[in-house]
Amino acid sequence: ECNPALQRQMHAGACLMARMSYCAGVQGQFWKMNDLLFGLPRGTTPDPGNLAAEAGLNAQRFLECIDAPAATAHVQTDVQERLRLKISGTPTFVIDGEMYVGQIPPEVLERHLGPQP
């Protein structure tokens, strides 16, 4: 529904989850929500209220944000950028113009973040 490049639905709830991720980020909890969403069993429809509580978010602000035009606009901008970069899967990381699908190689992390534990 939010990605015009797809001919068929691939992940039910993906657009909702994208807006949820954005809205968690507005409250400084993007990575917490990311972990919660990726931890759901495949095919599970997320419950925004429960996940907001698990992520320690202001639930009312979070739920209002999910339905706000800003969240939809942010997701659409991301989709357009994905199309421009020809990204075909998640997770994909772009660092200094180089694309990494799946996992960022340890040497790239070390080069950008220093020695990793």
Side-chain angles (χ1 to χ4, degrees), residues 89-93 100-104:
T90 58
T92 297
F93 304 92
Y100 304 94
V101 179
Q103 190 172 33
I104 302 169

Side-chain angles (χ1 to χ4, degrees), residues 79-96:
V79 167
Q80 293 306 312
E81 184 70 356
R82 180 204 69 83
L83 294 171
R84 186 183 74 74
L85 294 172
K86 297 179 174 64
I87 294 172
S88 61
T90 58
T92 297
F93 304 92
V94 180
I95 302 171
D96 285 344

Side-chain angles (χ1 to χ4, degrees), residues 1 3 36-37 41 47 53 74 76 89-90 92 100 104 106 112 115:
E1 77 191 64
N3 186 344
L36 290 169
L37 291 171
D47 180 325
H74 183 83
Q76 285 304 306
T90 58
T92 297
Y100 304 94
I104 302 169
H112 291 277

